[in-house]
Structures are given as C-alpha cells and as structure tokens.
Amino acid sequence: MVQQDQDRVLQDTERVEGRTALRNNVDAAIALADAVRSTMGPKGLDKLLLGDDGSYLVTNDGVTVLESAKVEHATAKMLISTSRAQDDEVRDGTTSTVVLTAELLINALELVDRGVHPTIIARGYRMCGPVVEQTLDDISILADEATSLSSVKTSLAGKGDSSLQNKLAELAFAAASVTGSGEPEHTRVMTERSGSIKDSELIPGIVLMKARVHREMNLKPQAGRILILDGGMEKRKPEIEASLKITHTGAIEAFHARERADLQARVKCLSAANIDCLVARDGIEEEAHAMLAAAGILAYRRVERPEIEHLCRATGARPVFDVEDIRDEDVGHFASIREEKWQGVEHTIFVGSQSQGVTVVIRGSTSMRLEEAERAFNDAIGVACQLIREPRLLPGGGATQIALARRLRRHAETIPGREQMAIEGFAAALEAIPRILATNAGLDPIDELLRVTAAQAESDSAWQGLDVNTGQTGDMRKASIVEPISVTRHAIAGATEAAISVLRIDDVLWAKQDAQEPDWQTDED
Ligand code: ADP
Ligand code: MG
C-alpha cells in the first residue's frame, strides 16, 4: 500500500506512533500509580472517594480506589484489570502490582530514551522471571500457625485500628483453618449494623435472613437431615395449555382435592426419606405449609442461589429438582438450626456438618466502618487461604524486593547484551516498594533503602527489612512482618506482564470522536 492509500484508510482514525505512544502510555500508568501510592503500607493514608450522586467512601484499599476512578485511557484500564486479576487471584498485593508496573514502565522509558529498543527491554524483563522465582523460593520459609497468623495481620496493616486488625485476622485465620480448602469463597461474609467489631463471630454454617415458612413448624435444635430443592413445591401447572370444563357440581372441589393430594404425596416422599428440613429455591405452596408442619418438617422458601450453594457446602447436600426422586447421597446433614432476631429481623442459623462452608459475621456501628472492615477481611481471608494452598512466607517491609534487586544486579553482570540494562531497570523498579513504604511513614526513602541493603549484605540475610512502625531495620520474622509467597510472586509476575504488553505497543489508533456518520443514520435519530 502506498502512503496515500494508507492515509485514506485511516482518515477517521487518530494515530500516535512509536515513542510518543509509549510516553503517553507511561504517563497514564504513572497517574494511576500516583493515585494509590500513598495508601501503601501500614502508614499509608486513606482516600476519600466521592461519587456523582453525593455518596462517599473512605478507603485504604488500592483496588477500590482504582475501580472508582473514571478512567478513559486504554493503558490505565489495562493496569486496572491487572490489579483486579491480582485481587481475584490472591486478593492482596493490588497496590504493589500497580506501583511496580508503573516503575517498570518509567525505567523502560528511560532506557528507550538512551537508545535501547523496547523489544530488548521486554526481553530483559522476561529474563528476570526465573531469577525472581528461584530467589523467592530460596528466601521463603515454611509457615506455621503463629507465622501464618502474623501474615494475615500484616495484610491488614494500615486498615483500621489494631483491635479491628486483630479481630479480623483471627476470624480469617480461623475460617480458613476450619474450611481447610484454600478457597476464600467457602467463607461467606455478612455485615450487621449492630454491636462493635469485637462482637464479630465465625459461624460454622450459614445464616439466612428469613424465618421458617410456618410458625407451627417445630424448630428442633438437634442434628438432622436436610433436603435442598432447586425449584419449589408448588401446584403443578398443566404441561399443555388447558382449560377446565365444568360439567357437574363439585368438579372444582374435586380438582382442588387432587391438587391437595398431589402436595400431600410430595410431603410423604419427604417423610419417607426422613427429611427434617426442606430448603427451596422457589416458593412452597401455602397449603403445603401445614402438611409439612404436621409431618414434622421444617421448611424455608425463596432462598437465593448463592445461599443455596453455601448451604450445600455446609451440609454436604446436593440440590434435587423434584422431591419424588430423592437419593440418599443428595441428602445433607446439619448439626443444629436456630432462629435469632438481629435488629428485629428474623435470622435462621444453620450449623452444618461439613466444614466446607462457614460464615463470618462482621459487626459494627456504622455502614462505612462495616464496608471498610469487609474489604479488609477480603484481603485477610485471601492471605489465609493462600497459606493453606502454599504455606510459605516471605519477609515484608521491603526486604523481599531489596533481596531480589541485589540478586538481579549480580545476575545482570553475567548478561553481555543490552538486556543487562533492562535487568538493572527491573531491579531498580522493585526497590520502589521499600522507598514508598518509607516515604509514607515520613522516613527518608534513600537512607532507608541504603540502610536495609547494607544490613542484608552485612548479615547475609534476605530477611532484613524496614519496620515502618518503629522506623527500625531488623529481622522481619522477629518483627512478625511476613507475607505469603504467592501474593508477592503473583504481584511481580502480573506487573511484569502488564509492563511488557505496554512496551510492545508502538502504535495507538483510535476512532475520531466525531467520525462522520452516514446521513440516513443521523436523520433517523
Ligand atoms: P497492597 O495492596 O500491595 O497489599 P498494602 O497497603 O497492603 O498494599 O501494603 C503492603 C505492603 O506493606 C507490603 O509490602 C508489606 O510488606 C508492607 N508492610 C506491612 N506492614 C509493615 C510494617 N510494619 N513495616 C513495613 N512494611 C510493612
Ligand atoms: Mg495488602
């Protein structure tokens, strides 16, 4: 295609090429990182987020800040989705991911200005991967109960006061230990606007915000069998469109009698299967309530799907579509069922027999405090579950990043090509984490970085880091500042991938805002 043709093809498109494109993208990444940088670490500050509708939110959570930002820039959107992926996968380390991506890009741009091609930089960054992996494995230690709890507490540093942190850490650790599955979804979080955070509790089961369908039903506190119905227990509708033709008196009566008999037959099926409690996703016919009560069966209707799923995990039940074919393996078991009034609202508490579904009820006096506690708990349960899957810990307080930077610089010396410069850039980017932690605590970032680096070299230990609460350099294990290996590994890998994908862009094309529309289209509007 000759240049003229090319220009015509792209006439409704704006275009930015080469270094300008990279510079624009890096600027977007910096802007985004700047928005969350000051929240990082225990001394990080909170952000006040204001909505269009006058709503407001105070948060210390990186991903919450990013998601509320009205971002148009494609690169910024990409970075936000990297941070979201970190949140989905490991739930913690979201701020670190964004900050690291921005630093990797800033250092890359500097190298581009010095004449290194982005492809070489991308290759150099990729070469860091195996060294990072190996180093993380080398410096990590096996987690035990005490250090695991410390690491859950570390993830809550800076989020609320210490009584909130301690309570949430204990609950997250307990919930993860009980379920033992390493799946954060196996812990349901509920917030209740009453009491204070110290009244929060772990329930080995599920809480439904509803009461049994009929007061006459007997609430037995002891263990029993539960059937979960993925549907309802309502009158059957005729399968084909039919109209009822009344030919003699009593026809309607007979029709209703048949319907009642049908419901009664279904209740019999439940009795035959020794069901003590029925939970239905849809409705349960009014007429069936008394029949169920008479048969000694407790019943709950219109239970939402996520609650049904959690109830299945807690009781080991499998949902059935019809009460007429109950197999014994579908029946679940509960340890107890009780009703409680919370703030005047009926709640039913099912304590399960299986430990695969538990509920954490977070209590507090204001909805803002509850929301922030819920977000913090999210990080904490993520960390606790990560440790179940992979019980290895790394030092926090910037120690890991400094140890990686030292190792990478030594590795860079062995690489003869220009990739060497990129590896050095990667090492420098990692050091942004301890620098920011120090800055946010009002300490001098350069002095602290040098001090920790020297302490690591002198003691030959990667565990020397900076405790920003005391301002001291020391062993992070002794200071109980520890993090799951998976969170750090994921943050570095995610940031590297995001930075490389931005580096590979050398042409940005986008449709002009006021692209010409055909006349017939505008006329119709
Ligand atoms: P992220 O969203 O990346 O998890 P956080 O605001 O949770 O960001 O901050 C996490 C960082 O804070 C980690 O690098 C962790 O090592 C560090 N950190 C936590 N407690 C301390 C402490 N007492 N001293 C220094 N650094 C700490
Ligand atoms: Mg965190």
Side-chain angles (χ1 to χ4, degrees):
M1 217 189 302
V2 289
Q3 188 62 41
Q4 229 176 359
D5 289 341
Q6 238 180 38
D7 289 347
R8 203 167 322 122
V9 170
L10 296 176
Q11 69 179 354
D12 283 337
T13 309
E14 293 203 36
R15 182 173 192 182
V16 177
E17 288 172 85
R19 204 176 300 182
T20 317
L22 182 60
R23 200 172 300 280
N24 287 349
N25 290 333
V26 173
D27 282 346
I30 296 174
L32 212 57
D34 280 350
V36 292
R37 187 189 299 269
S38 63
T39 68
M40 198 160 88
K43 300 277 177 175
L45 299 177
D46 295 346
K47 297 268 168 192
L48 172 63
L49 308 178
L50 302 174
D52 288 345
D53 52 356
S55 62
Y56 67 97
L57 177 71
V58 175
T59 184
N60 184 281
D61 192 51
V63 80
T64 309
V65 176
L66 294 178
E67 293 206 322
S68 64
K70 289 219 166 90
V71 173
E72 292 293 339
H73 199 286
T75 309
K77 281 189 186 157
M78 200 161 89
L79 252 66
I80 293 175
S81 71
T82 309
S83 153
R84 169 120 297 270
Q86 175 82 14
D87 196 43
D88 289 345
E89 282 287 321
V90 288
R91 298 209 180 182
D92 194 21
T94 51
T95 313
S96 306
T97 307
V98 173
V99 164
L100 190 55
T101 313
E103 291 294 323
L104 287 170
L105 285 171
I106 294 169
N107 294 354
L109 188 60
E110 218 179 280
L111 290 176
V112 170
D113 288 341
R114 281 162 62 193
V116 186
H117 195 271
T119 320
I120 308 263
I121 303 171
R123 202 180 310 144
Y125 280 2
R126 277 248 155 76
M127 287 165 84
C128 295
V131 184
V132 168
E133 279 284 322
Q134 186 60 48
T135 312
L136 293 183
D137 282 345
D138 291 347
I139 61 185
S140 68
I141 56 165
L142 206 60
D144 59 21
E145 202 162 296
T147 45
S148 296
L149 185 60
S150 299
S151 105
V152 181
K153 282 189 185 155
T154 303
S155 75
L156 292 173
K159 296 179 164 61
D161 52 39
S162 62
S163 68
L164 176 108
Q165 290 169 13
N166 285 336
K167 187 74 195 179
L168 293 183
E170 278 159 25
L171 287 170
F173 182 70
S177 309
V178 171
T179 59
S181 60
E183 295 289 342
E185 288 73 28
H186 289 183
T187 300
R188 243 177 100 81
V189 185
M190 271 182 92
T191 51
E192 261 296 304
R193 241 178 88 177
S194 69
S196 76
I197 197 79
K198 65 177 191 312
D199 306 316
S200 305
E201 60 181 322
L202 172 70
I203 292 170
I206 177 169
V207 183
L208 296 185
M209 219 170 76
K210 54 179 68 213
R212 55 197 190 272
V213 294
H214 199 282
R215 278 282 135 208
E216 305 260 286
M217 286 174 178
N218 211 352
L219 198 63
K220 316 174 255 214
Q222 70 271 40
R225 287 159 64 82
I226 181 169
L227 186 84
I228 295 176
L229 199 53
D230 192 0
M233 204 159 117
E234 283 156 327
K235 288 176 186 157
R236 295 184 210 265
K237 294 198 181 69
E239 299 221 338
I240 46 168
E241 200 68 42
S243 59
L244 193 60
K245 204 169 182 185
I246 300 169
T247 51
H248 58 90
T249 51
I252 292 185
E253 187 60 24
F255 179 73
H256 285 317
R258 261 207 309 283
E259 278 184 337
R260 257 199 310 280
D262 181 43
L263 286 174
Q264 189 70 63
R266 284 191 266 169
V267 172
K268 262 220 178 87
C269 291
L270 292 169
S271 296
N274 279 324
I275 301 301
D276 301 290
C277 176
L278 172 73
V279 173
R281 194 164 59 77
D282 294 336
I284 296 177
E285 202 68 59
E286 295 278 334
E287 277 181 84
H289 295 178
M291 298 176 191
L292 286 163
I297 299 169
L298 257 175
Y300 297 84
R301 64 176 166 180
R302 304 207 188 286
V303 177
E304 304 282 337
R305 194 174 281 284
E307 294 175 327
I308 292 265
E309 282 168 10
H310 202 68
L311 200 51
C312 287
R313 283 195 284 265
T315 61
R318 262 185 283 179
V320 298
F321 290 101
D322 200 331
V323 294
E324 272 155 6
D325 45 36
I326 304 172
R327 295 172 309 171
D328 209 47
E329 60 262 38
D330 297 329
V331 178
H333 299 266
F334 58 86
S336 67
I337 298 178
R338 65 178 194 272
E339 281 178 9
E340 280 178 14
K341 267 210 168 96
W342 292 1
Q343 300 290 94
V345 181
E346 293 278 14
H347 284 71
T348 305
I349 298 165
F350 291 80
V351 173
S353 59
Q354 312 275 316
S355 49
Q356 295 293 299
V358 302
T359 302
V360 165
V361 186
I362 301 176
R363 295 181 190 273
S365 49
T366 67
S367 53
M368 207 166 81
R369 201 170 142 81
L370 280 174
E371 280 169 26
E372 187 67 351
E374 188 177 354
R375 275 191 293 276
F377 183 80
N378 236 356
D379 287 16
I381 189 74
V383 165
C385 286
Q386 285 304 318
L387 284 173
I388 297 224
R389 293 187 189 186
E390 190 178 3
R392 293 201 76 81
L393 293 167
L394 288 171
T400 298
Q401 290 78 7
I402 290 175
L404 285 172
R406 294 180 62 224
R407 183 80 70 95
L408 283 167
R409 288 208 174 92
R410 283 204 299 275
H411 178 69
E413 289 170 6
T414 66
I415 308 292
R418 289 182 174 204
E419 287 85 354
Q420 183 188 110
M421 297 162 88
I423 297 173
E424 277 162 4
F426 194 101
L430 286 165
E431 288 171 340
I433 305 282
R435 271 194 280 120
I436 294 169
L437 289 171
T439 306
N440 286 352
L443 300 166
D444 186 274
I446 298 171
D447 287 349
E448 298 306 327
L449 187 63
L450 293 173
R451 210 197 321 265
V452 176
T453 308
Q456 288 202 357
E458 196 188 327
S459 62
D460 195 24
S461 160
W463 279 75
Q464 290 290 316
L466 168 68
D467 180 352
V468 297
N469 287 328
T470 59
Q472 301 290 319
T473 300
D475 188 329
M476 292 293 99
R477 191 173 173 178
K478 289 203 186 101
S480 296
I481 304 169
V482 284
E483 290 165 326
I485 188 171
S486 49
V487 173
T488 309
R489 188 198 290 129
H490 204 281
I492 297 176
T496 311
E497 284 309 316
I500 288 176
S501 42
V502 173
L503 279 178
R504 291 167 59 93
I505 301 170
D506 93 318
D507 206 355
V508 178
L509 305 165
W510 69 98
K512 281 182 184 159
Q513 293 289 315
D514 54 354
Q516 286 280 308
E517 282 178 25
D519 284 344
W520 50 266
Q521 205 170 350
T522 25
D523 281 346
E524 269 191 4
D525 287 343

